[in-house]
Amino acid sequence: MATRGAKPKPAKLRLVDGTHRTARHGESEQAVEATEAATAAFGKLKKPASVKGAAAAAWKRYIDPAGWLDGSREPAAIAFCELWKEFQFNPTGFPASKHGQMRAYMAELGLTDERNRGDHGGKKEEDEFFGSD
């Protein structure tokens, strides 16, 4: 049975994207210590040797820049990259059920939240009505 509402974010992701609230999630220092302990326990997320080809390209494009991921997310990252490889191979034959799986993996890994992408130094467009006058 489905549960209502958004899934809770991992503590490290809340710290990275700036949505950690002391009243709701506790002290920031405790969250930092907990995420560092988890990173130490699971280690940094590294691409396994079995991920090759289009899956390796997906890993480089989507998983490597996601600095909030640790080794505990390795199975989800591998599954996402393999699904991406399958989608790239045959986009028209990729069933809707696998689209749903891929979107779920992206959400679990924190890849769908635009706030995680940061500012890449691109020039911001000026609004014609609310310019910088």
Side-chain angles (χ1 to χ4, degrees), residues 17-93:
D17 68 10
T19 59
H20 183 85
R21 300 292 176 256
T22 305
R24 185 177 298 160
H25 305 116
E27 294 296 324
S28 298
E29 293 80 20
Q30 292 174 347
V32 169
E33 290 171 9
T35 57
E36 288 174 354
T39 302
F42 288 107
K44 187 173 177 356
L45 183 60
K46 296 177 187 170
K47 181 177 76 77
S50 62
V51 176
K52 296 179 181 171
W59 188 285
K60 184 177 180 182
R61 183 174 180 186
Y62 298 108
I63 306 300
D64 278 345
W68 58 87
L69 298 174
D70 60 15
S72 67
R73 302 291 182 183
E74 182 179 357
I78 293 171
F80 165 72
C81 291
E82 292 298 328
L83 280 170
W84 181 257
K85 177 176 81 172
E86 192 174 330
F87 173 71
Q88 291 292 102
F89 179 71
N90 185 10
T92 57

